[in-house]
Amino acid sequence: MTQCQFITEASLPTEFGEFRLHAFEETNGKEHLAIVFGNVNNQENVLCRLHSECLTGDALFSARCDCGPQLKAAFKNIAENGSGILLYLRQEGRGIGLVNKIRAYALQDLGKDTVEANEALGFDADLRSYDICFDMLSHFGITSVDLLTNNPKKVEALENAGVSVNKRMPLHEGVNE
């Protein structure tokens, strides 16, 4: 069953070149982006990044995480590769949402790590889901990727959804205390 559908697209000029934004919407109303550089349609082993939204890291330059530097590195790697796709997934704070993420930050200020803080708030350590990635990649006819990630769970999630991961390429950027 299709969990999300394509809505619209537009250009996205960046410091790394001209990308295309493709907006998708889940059946529950949650919106996500596929950010594309070059021709990825019906290609094999497309350079791909699954990036979960992180307002504090991506836009506010937080040093609590490595999200912002990893996002920037992904854009750079995709542009240098000549083509690729970045799926920007709206699942802030490992899926707990922005306000709860700030609550978790307050617990981190008291000495808890990310997992401990999420669990203290009554959440699992990580509530992110990658189920919709299959629908988004299918829109472009992509069935196999070279995945930019440090997280082996993303490889497993894509393969369970029917997307072949040719190789996992670690993205070591901005590691903070």
Side-chain angles (χ1 to χ4, degrees):
M1 181 179 152
T2 300
Q3 296 181 3
C4 72
Q5 65 178 348
F6 170 76
I7 303 298
T8 190
E9 70 178 278
S11 64
L12 177 69
T14 74
E15 66 182 273
F16 306 107
E18 185 86 16
F19 285 75
R20 298 278 311 161
L21 284 174
H22 299 258
F24 289 81
E25 186 174 20
E26 281 187 79
T27 54
N28 64 10
K30 191 177 275 191
E31 300 165 329
H32 307 278
L33 297 173
I35 306 165
V36 176
F37 189 84
N39 179 22
V40 298
N41 291 339
N42 301 306
Q43 301 295 311
E44 292 185 17
N45 304 329
V46 173
L47 188 58
C48 178
R49 166 83 177 156
L50 309 182
H51 190 89
S52 295
E53 176 182 39
C54 178
L55 179 67
T56 55
D58 296 343
L60 301 178
F61 316 108
S62 172
R64 286 187 184 265
C65 63
D66 53 5
C67 299
Q70 285 186 0
L71 179 62
K72 188 171 184 174
F75 269 91
K76 183 176 185 264
N77 287 336
I78 289 169
E80 287 176 353
N81 185 63
S83 67
I85 187 168
L86 187 149
L87 301 185
Y88 195 84
L89 307 172
R90 305 292 305 279
Q91 46 191 7
E92 182 77 48
R94 293 185 171 206
I96 66 173
L98 182 59
V99 171
N100 284 321
K101 179 179 176 177
I102 305 307
R103 287 182 176 122
Y105 279 179
L107 293 172
Q108 291 170 20
D109 289 343
L110 300 174
K112 293 191 181 300
D113 68 19
T114 302
V115 170
E116 293 168 340
N118 284 8
E119 290 173 343
L121 292 171
F123 298 107
D124 287 340
D126 192 341
L127 294 174
R128 293 176 291 184
S129 171
Y130 304 100
D131 295 343
I132 60 162
C133 296
F134 177 79
D135 290 341
M136 294 173 77
L137 292 170
S138 293
H139 174 78
F140 301 97
I142 298 171
T143 59
S144 64
V145 296
D146 289 341
L147 191 60
L148 287 167
T149 188
N150 299 327
N151 186 347
K153 289 182 180 180
K154 291 180 182 180
V155 173
E156 181 181 331
L158 282 181
E159 289 182 339
N160 287 342
V163 177
S164 173
V165 178
N166 179 55
K167 63 182 168 183
R168 179 174 73 90
M169 303 165 64
L171 196 56
H172 300 295
E173 296 289 330
V175 176
N176 299 318
E177 281 186 40

